[in-house]
Amino acid sequence: MMIRPSILPTLIAVPLAACAAGPDYAPRTAAQLGVPPAYSVAAQESAQADLRRWWTAFDDPMLTRLVEQAATRNLDVAQATVRLRQAREALVQSRASLLPSVGASGGASRTEVVRGGSGGSTGFSLGADVNYQADLFGGVRRGVQASAAALDASGYDYAAVLISTQAEIARNYILARAAQTQLANARASLAIQDDNLEIAGFRVQAGLVSSLDQEQARASRAQTAASVPTIEASYNSAVSRLGVLTGQAPGALKAEMEAARPIPQGPASIAIGIPADTLRQRPDIRGAERSLAAAVARIGVAEAQLYPQLSLGGSIDAGSTALSSLLDVVTGRVFASIAQTIFDAGRNRSQVRSAQAAADGAFLAYKQTVLAALEDVETAVVALRSAQAREREFTVALDAANNSAILSRSSYRAGLADFLTLSQSEAALISARNGLVQARADEASALIQLYLALGGGWDAGVTPTPDNVPAPAALDKTGTN
């Protein structure tokens, strides 16, 4: 059959009216997800605040710098970026299945007479072929839908890793600053207890008291001194973790963190909005929703295998003994074939049922993610309120304990009080100091947890893609990207 080459692609790519197998995805309603109209804890439910750069509310330049390094230097975030790139290429591959594949070939040959006769001949050939799998029942289109949803889900997974890392950096920074404050308190207490021990020694030498006072002073000082290595270990752990979270060696930040700074304190409260706001802001919820959409689309991919498969193709060929006449004669052919599975022992239908079960599981995971997110918000709200209440009470306790310790110390030096009274006053002062430090650290940590629970730390109006997320610094250095 002789055909013109220009007509062949048109014959192969004739649009075929087709329906898509499987169910169409429909977003779930708040009622289906079990989302209440309001939170069950008292909170500021006005319009949700801008949470994209929540760490700046702590007004600590070093904290801000470390948190913002997460996007490019943290290796967990870098791996999420790589997975996002892989998801984009999977979509490219799925879309390629919608179009024909085209190949070309060319060749030249020389034939020589080995024995007898004379001369030889030269031959040239040129050819092209087209193959197209007609998407009669939409299996390929469902595959593209699944890959597109999976790309979105991968983008939201990236955002979830990013905001989790940002929160972990902030929490460890709080822990480090809290440990510095506790160390300062412990050393201040040791200085006072050294003075008390010296005074007790003088009073024993003067015969004013028994050696019991001196031993009690030694014991009190030793107990305070014993707390120092524990606090130092906690500080070292937090600073080392900060180094790793910013893509560095554990000790990279020790010199920079050495200068003590107070625990950063953020705003007393933030507007959390209503539960529906959290659904829109949390990347893990949006990622779970996109994973459900992908699972539903895969039902259609499996169901399309139950129906006939139509393949179209064609080729053109030319051959000659001389290059000048290679295109003088061009031949072509087109073909079509249809195939239908008649017996597979139920495999294809089982794959459909498996895809349906996977979609059911994806819905349950989506709903579980939603409920867990709402739980995170309420837990963080209560934790913040609890820490603030404890801070208020420990502030009062510290003031009273400090006054009591001053009076007890003065009375002991004047011989008007025994050492047990002084020791108890000193212990109450140490406890109040540490309690206030812990309450302030807990308050800052609860605020960070609330920002994380609300989905802060990224722009919820933009779906992360390989084109709009920062490139990992580790790959820039090695040149592998």
Side-chain angles (χ1 to χ4, degrees):
M1 174 182 179
M2 301 292 295
I3 63 172
R4 287 180 297 169
S6 60
I7 296 178
L8 182 59
T10 304
L11 294 175
I12 299 301
V14 172
L16 298 174
C19 58
D24 292 327
Y25 175 71
R28 301 305 192 263
T29 65
Q32 289 173 315
L33 297 171
V35 180
Y39 290 104
S40 66
V41 296
Q44 187 178 344
E45 294 189 352
S46 56
Q48 196 178 75
D50 185 355
L51 306 175
R52 286 175 294 181
R53 299 183 73 245
W54 55 262
W55 48 88
T56 59
F58 288 90
D59 195 25
D60 188 306
M62 186 172 185
L63 172 62
T64 295
R65 179 167 56 82
L66 291 176
V67 169
E68 292 181 350
Q69 287 177 354
T72 56
R73 297 177 63 174
N74 179 267
L75 296 182
D76 288 329
V77 176
Q79 292 178 66
T81 304
V82 172
R83 290 193 294 271
L84 182 55
R85 287 165 47 195
Q86 290 177 311
R88 178 177 62 181
E89 298 311 319
L91 176 58
V92 171
Q93 295 163 28
S94 294
R95 285 174 174 166
S97 300
L98 291 170
L99 301 174
S101 62
V102 181
S105 63
S109 64
R110 174 70 181 173
T111 303
E112 295 286 350
V113 177
V114 178
R115 182 177 181 181
S118 63
S121 63
T122 302
F124 300 93
S125 64
L126 187 65
D129 61 85
V130 179
N131 292 285
Y132 179 58
Q133 184 75 39
D135 191 25
L136 288 178
F137 298 97
V140 176
R141 279 172 289 155
R142 291 300 193 194
V144 172
Q145 290 175 2
S147 295
L151 173 60
D152 288 343
S154 185
Y156 294 131
D157 288 344
Y158 159 85
V161 173
L162 174 64
I163 68 172
S164 177
T165 302
Q166 291 167 339
E168 189 175 358
I169 289 174
R171 279 195 296 262
N172 279 277
Y173 186 83
I174 296 299
L175 290 175
R177 295 310 187 192
Q180 287 179 329
T181 305
Q182 289 173 333
L183 280 172
N185 288 343
R187 286 164 181 159
S189 297
L190 280 174
I192 293 173
Q193 290 173 336
D194 283 338
D195 188 43
N196 291 341
L197 178 58
E198 184 178 11
I199 293 172
F202 290 152
R203 290 173 64 81
V204 169
Q205 290 177 2
L208 299 176
V209 296
S210 70
S211 59
L212 178 61
D213 282 14
Q214 189 174 21
E215 294 305 312
Q216 287 178 332
R218 286 179 59 210
S220 296
R221 187 200 178 281
Q223 288 175 349
T224 301
S227 69
V228 172
T230 301
I231 300 171
E232 290 175 337
S234 297
Y235 171 76
N236 181 77
S237 177
V239 175
S240 295
R241 187 65 185 144
L242 283 174
V244 174
L245 287 170
T246 52
Q248 304 174 82
L253 294 172
K254 288 185 176 178
E256 194 173 358
M257 288 287 294
E258 186 175 3
R261 290 182 57 86
I263 300 170
Q265 296 296 298
S269 64
I270 58 174
I272 67 172
I274 59 175
D277 294 332
T278 301
L279 268 62
R280 290 187 289 268
Q281 183 71 29
R282 287 268 296 230
D284 56 342
I285 292 178
R286 295 176 67 172
E289 186 272 336
R290 290 287 81 201
S291 294
L292 173 59
V296 171
R298 292 187 187 107
I299 297 175
V301 175
E303 193 172 306
Q305 300 302 310
L306 299 174
Y307 305 116
Q309 308 295 310
L310 174 63
S311 297
L312 303 175
S315 64
I316 54 176
D317 298 284
S320 177
T321 58
L323 282 174
S324 60
S325 60
L326 179 61
L327 297 179
D328 287 353
V329 178
V330 178
T331 62
R333 71 188 185 96
V334 294
F335 64 85
S337 66
I338 190 166
Q340 169 68 58
T341 301
I342 296 181
F343 177 75
D344 63 359
R347 180 181 59 189
N348 284 342
R349 293 193 178 279
S350 176
Q351 289 174 340
V352 173
R353 294 193 297 271
S354 177
Q356 291 170 337
D360 289 341
F363 168 70
L364 295 175
Y366 177 26
K367 185 173 182 177
Q368 175 69 18
T369 303
V370 169
L371 298 181
L374 300 181
E375 178 188 16
D376 288 345
V377 173
E378 296 200 359
T379 299
V381 168
V382 173
L384 178 60
R385 192 164 59 228
S386 172
Q388 290 171 337
R390 287 188 290 115
E391 181 186 9
R392 289 192 296 269
E393 296 303 326
F394 274 120
T395 299
V396 175
L398 177 60
D399 182 64
N402 188 55
N403 292 335
S404 177
I406 292 173
L407 293 173
S408 297
R409 198 174 302 120
S410 176
S411 296
Y412 181 73
R413 288 178 177 179
L416 301 177
D418 58 20
F419 190 82
L420 179 59
T421 300
L422 175 60
S423 178
Q424 290 174 338
S425 297
E426 296 284 2
L429 177 59
I430 293 173
S431 177
R433 280 176 175 169
N434 290 335
L436 182 58
V437 170
Q438 189 62 56
R440 286 176 175 167
D442 289 347
E443 181 181 353
S445 295
L447 189 57
I448 292 168
Q449 188 62 33
L450 182 55
Y451 282 127
L452 175 62
L454 293 173
W458 71 299
D459 187 351
V462 178
T463 301
T465 69
D467 297 323
N468 61 25
V469 302
L475 293 182
D476 288 340
K477 292 176 181 177
T478 60
T480 56
N481 63 335

